[in-house]
Amino acid sequence: MDAVADRDFLLDFQSASSICMMHLSRMAEEFVLWSSDEFAFIRLSEEYTTGSSIMPQKRNPDFAELARGKTGRVFGSLMALLTLMKGLPLTYNRDMQEDKEGFFDTFDTLLATLTIFADMIAKMHIVPERMREAAQGSYVLATDIADYLVDRGMPFREAHGVVARLSRHAVERGVQFEELTLDEYRSFSTLFDEEVLAISVDSSVAARDVPGGTAFDRVNQAVADAKTQLVSERGGSK
């Protein structure tokens, strides 16, 4: 009786598809934001953008926007099936014939979205110069400066307060951290020395050499170098 009354396999599929589409939708939103003139971190291929109906220079990220919008219909199919099943007694009821339309639509939507995203990402152009410009025009290095103080023995709670005051000072002066003098740094803590002037966007990226960090490729390279050295020491045997 339960075998013909059960639709958990479809609920599992609809649930997994909804979660997948949720992540694709979030990624689509990132693409929409990053490709805008305000960010300009990426440029999407013209295959996946369309021209504006009134502004000749504008390219709209339509495929990303459509993926973001289609996520709602996948969520809807999941909720429709849950609602369909919630009040049914054993065993089979004709209500269950409504399970198919949502399933087929979700399958087609998810497959098409994944296929398009794979190619859209492969053909996407990254603009590192613009990313660097954005990073250098912010106070993103505040945490690195706090870590610098921690490395010299200051508790992070105190370092947080010092750098907060330092940040306010820089904002009031209208300058970035790199433009502050050593005397200005030392007016907030005597633990600052010349090495603080070397903190930069590049050093910040290089410092996160942990799995998932911004410099994880350095970890991979170090592992590869270590393996090469080990093979060499063992006479070339693997």
Side-chain angles (χ1 to χ4, degrees), residues 31-39 42-65 68:
F31 291 168
V32 171
L33 287 174
W34 293 349
S35 64
S36 68
D37 290 341
E38 289 78 10
F39 289 86
I42 63 172
R43 286 198 300 271
L44 297 174
S45 169
E46 290 197 1
E47 293 179 50
Y48 297 105
T49 61
T50 61
S52 168
S53 59
I54 191 171
M55 293 179 284
Q57 87 289 355
K58 193 173 186 293
R59 300 295 300 181
N60 295 316
D62 281 359
F63 282 77
E65 292 175 357
R68 186 178 59 188

Coordinates of all heavy atoms in Angstrom, one line a residue, residues 31-39 42-65 68:
F31 N 26.6 37.6 -10.7 CA 27.0 38.0 -12.1 C 26.3 39.3 -12.5 O 26.9 40.1 -13.1 CB 26.6 36.9 -13.0 CG 27.4 35.6 -12.9 CD1 27.0 34.5 -13.5 CD2 28.6 35.6 -12.1 CE1 27.8 33.3 -13.4 CE2 29.3 34.5 -12.0 CZ 28.9 33.3 -12.6
V32 N 25.0 39.5 -12.1 CA 24.3 40.7 -12.4 C 25.0 41.9 -11.8 O 25.2 42.9 -12.4 CB 22.9 40.6 -12.0 CG1 22.2 42.0 -12.1 CG2 22.1 39.6 -12.8
L33 N 25.4 41.7 -10.5 CA 26.0 42.8 -9.8 C 27.4 43.1 -10.3 O 27.8 44.2 -10.6 CB 26.1 42.5 -8.3 CG 24.8 42.6 -7.5 CD1 25.0 42.1 -6.1 CD2 24.3 44.0 -7.5
W34 N 28.2 42.0 -10.4 CA 29.6 42.2 -10.8 C 29.8 42.7 -12.3 O 30.8 43.3 -12.6 CB 30.4 40.9 -10.7 CG 30.5 40.4 -9.3 CD1 30.2 41.2 -8.1 CD2 30.9 39.1 -8.8 NE1 30.5 40.4 -7.0 CE2 30.9 39.2 -7.4 CE3 31.3 38.0 -9.5 CZ2 31.3 38.1 -6.6 CZ3 31.7 36.9 -8.7 CH2 31.7 36.9 -7.3
S35 N 28.8 42.5 -13.1 CA 28.9 42.9 -14.5 C 28.4 44.3 -14.7 O 28.5 44.9 -15.8 CB 28.2 41.9 -15.5 OG 26.8 41.9 -15.2
S36 N 27.8 44.9 -13.7 CA 27.2 46.2 -13.8 C 28.3 47.3 -13.8 O 29.5 47.0 -13.4 CB 26.3 46.5 -12.6 OG 27.1 46.6 -11.4
D37 N 28.0 48.5 -14.3 CA 29.0 49.5 -14.4 C 29.6 49.9 -13.0 O 30.7 50.4 -12.9 CB 28.4 50.8 -15.1 CG 28.1 50.5 -16.6 OD1 28.7 49.6 -17.1 OD2 27.3 51.3 -17.2
E38 N 28.7 49.8 -12.0 CA 29.2 50.2 -10.7 C 30.3 49.3 -10.1 O 31.1 49.7 -9.4 CB 28.0 50.1 -9.7 CG 26.9 51.2 -9.9 CD 26.0 50.9 -11.1 OE1 26.0 49.8 -11.7 OE2 25.2 51.8 -11.5
F39 N 30.3 48.0 -10.6 CA 31.4 47.1 -10.2 C 32.3 46.8 -11.3 O 33.5 47.0 -11.1 CB 30.7 45.8 -9.7 CG 30.0 45.9 -8.4 CD1 28.7 46.3 -8.3 CD2 30.7 45.6 -7.2 CE1 28.1 46.4 -7.1 CE2 30.1 45.7 -5.9 CZ 28.7 46.1 -5.9
I42 N 33.5 41.8 -13.9 CA 33.4 40.7 -15.0 C 32.7 41.3 -16.2 O 32.0 42.3 -16.1 CB 32.7 39.5 -14.5 CG1 31.2 39.8 -14.2 CG2 33.4 38.8 -13.3 CD1 30.4 38.6 -13.9
R43 N 33.0 40.7 -17.3 CA 32.2 40.9 -18.5 C 31.7 39.6 -19.1 O 32.5 38.7 -19.3 CB 33.1 41.6 -19.6 CG 33.5 43.1 -19.3 CD 34.0 43.8 -20.5 NE 35.2 43.2 -21.1 CZ 36.4 43.6 -20.7 NH1 36.6 44.5 -19.8 NH2 37.5 43.0 -21.3
L44 N 30.4 39.6 -19.2 CA 29.8 38.4 -19.7 C 29.8 38.4 -21.2 O 29.8 39.4 -21.9 CB 28.3 38.3 -19.3 CG 28.1 38.2 -17.8 CD1 26.6 38.3 -17.4 CD2 28.7 36.9 -17.2
S45 N 29.9 37.2 -21.8 CA 30.0 37.0 -23.3 C 28.7 37.6 -23.9 O 27.6 37.5 -23.3 CB 30.2 35.6 -23.6 OG 29.9 35.4 -25.0
E46 N 28.8 38.1 -25.1 CA 27.6 38.7 -25.7 C 26.6 37.6 -26.0 O 25.4 37.9 -26.3 CB 28.0 39.4 -27.0 CG 28.7 40.7 -26.7 CD 28.8 41.6 -27.9 OE1 28.2 41.2 -29.0 OE2 29.3 42.7 -27.8
E47 N 27.0 36.3 -26.0 CA 26.1 35.2 -26.2 C 25.1 35.2 -25.1 O 24.0 34.6 -25.3 CB 26.9 33.9 -26.3 CG 27.8 33.7 -27.4 CD 28.5 32.4 -27.4 OE1 27.8 31.3 -27.2 OE2 29.7 32.3 -27.5
Y48 N 25.5 35.7 -23.9 CA 24.6 35.5 -22.8 C 24.1 36.9 -22.3 O 23.7 37.0 -21.1 CB 25.3 34.8 -21.7 CG 25.6 33.4 -22.1 CD1 26.9 33.0 -22.5 CD2 24.6 32.4 -22.3 CE1 27.2 31.7 -22.9 CE2 24.8 31.1 -22.7 CZ 26.1 30.8 -23.0 OH 26.4 29.5 -23.5
T49 N 24.1 37.9 -23.1 CA 23.6 39.2 -22.8 C 22.8 39.7 -24.0 O 22.9 39.2 -25.1 CB 24.7 40.2 -22.5 OG1 25.5 40.4 -23.7 CG2 25.5 39.8 -21.3
T50 N 21.9 40.6 -23.8 CA 21.1 41.2 -24.9 C 21.2 42.7 -24.8 O 21.5 43.3 -23.8 CB 19.7 40.8 -24.8 OG1 19.1 41.3 -23.6 CG2 19.5 39.3 -24.9
G51 N 21.0 43.4 -26.0 CA 21.1 44.8 -26.0 C 19.9 45.5 -25.4 O 18.8 44.9 -25.3
S52 N 20.1 46.7 -24.9 CA 19.0 47.4 -24.3 C 18.1 48.0 -25.4 O 18.6 48.3 -26.5 CB 19.6 48.6 -23.5 OG 18.5 49.5 -23.1
S53 N 16.8 48.1 -25.1 CA 15.9 48.6 -26.1 C 16.0 50.1 -26.3 O 15.5 50.6 -27.3 CB 14.4 48.2 -25.7 OG 14.1 48.8 -24.4
I54 N 16.7 50.8 -25.4 CA 16.8 52.2 -25.6 C 18.2 52.7 -25.5 O 18.5 53.8 -26.0 CB 15.9 52.9 -24.5 CG1 15.7 54.4 -24.8 CG2 16.4 52.7 -23.1 CD1 14.7 55.1 -23.9
M55 N 19.1 52.0 -24.8 CA 20.4 52.5 -24.6 C 21.4 51.6 -25.4 O 21.6 50.4 -25.1 CB 20.8 52.4 -23.1 CG 20.1 53.4 -22.3 SD 20.5 53.3 -20.5 CE 19.7 51.8 -20.0
P56 N 21.9 52.1 -26.5 CA 22.7 51.3 -27.5 C 24.0 50.7 -26.9 O 24.4 49.7 -27.3 CB 23.1 52.4 -28.6 CG 22.1 53.4 -28.5 CD 21.7 53.5 -27.0
Q57 N 24.5 51.4 -25.9 CA 25.8 50.9 -25.3 C 25.6 49.8 -24.2 O 26.5 49.1 -23.8 CB 26.5 52.1 -24.6 CG 26.2 52.4 -23.2 CD 24.8 53.0 -23.0 OE1 24.1 53.3 -24.0 NE2 24.4 53.2 -21.8
K58 N 24.4 49.6 -23.8 CA 24.1 48.7 -22.7 C 23.9 47.3 -23.1 O 23.2 47.0 -24.1 CB 22.9 49.2 -21.9 CG 22.7 48.6 -20.5 CD 21.6 49.3 -19.8 CE 21.4 48.8 -18.3 NZ 21.0 47.4 -18.3
R59 N 24.5 46.3 -22.3 CA 24.3 44.9 -22.5 C 23.6 44.4 -21.2 O 24.2 44.6 -20.1 CB 25.6 44.2 -22.7 CG 26.3 44.6 -23.9 CD 25.6 44.3 -25.2 NE 25.3 42.9 -25.4 CZ 24.7 42.4 -26.5 NH1 24.3 43.3 -27.4 NH2 24.5 41.1 -26.6
N60 N 22.5 43.8 -21.3 CA 21.7 43.3 -20.2 C 22.1 41.8 -19.9 O 22.1 41.0 -20.8 CB 20.2 43.4 -20.4 CG 19.8 44.9 -20.5 OD1 20.2 45.7 -19.7 ND2 19.0 45.2 -21.4
P61 N 22.4 41.4 -18.6 CA 22.7 40.0 -18.3 C 21.4 39.2 -18.2 O 21.1 38.6 -17.2 CB 23.4 40.1 -17.0 CG 22.7 41.3 -16.3 CD 22.5 42.3 -17.5
D62 N 20.7 39.0 -19.4 CA 19.4 38.4 -19.4 C 19.5 36.9 -18.9 O 18.5 36.5 -18.2 CB 18.8 38.5 -20.8 CG 18.2 39.9 -21.0 OD1 18.3 40.7 -20.1 OD2 17.7 40.1 -22.1
F63 N 20.5 36.2 -19.3 CA 20.5 34.8 -19.0 C 20.6 34.6 -17.5 O 20.0 33.7 -16.9 CB 21.6 34.1 -19.7 CG 21.3 33.8 -21.2 CD1 21.3 34.7 -22.1 CD2 20.9 32.5 -21.5 CE1 21.0 34.5 -23.4 CE2 20.6 32.2 -22.9 CZ 20.6 33.2 -23.8
A64 N 21.5 35.4 -16.8 CA 21.6 35.3 -15.4 C 20.3 35.7 -14.7 O 19.9 35.1 -13.7 CB 22.7 36.2 -14.9
E65 N 19.6 36.8 -15.3 CA 18.4 37.2 -14.7 C 17.3 36.2 -14.8 O 16.5 36.0 -13.9 CB 18.0 38.5 -15.3 CG 18.9 39.7 -14.9 CD 18.5 41.0 -15.7 OE1 17.6 41.0 -16.5 OE2 19.2 42.0 -15.4
R68 N 17.8 33.4 -12.4 CA 17.4 33.9 -11.1 C 15.9 33.8 -10.9 O 15.3 33.4 -9.9 CB 17.9 35.3 -10.8 CG 17.7 35.9 -9.5 CD 18.2 37.3 -9.4 NE 17.7 38.2 -10.4 CZ 18.1 39.4 -10.7 NH1 19.1 39.9 -10.0 NH2 17.5 40.2 -11.6

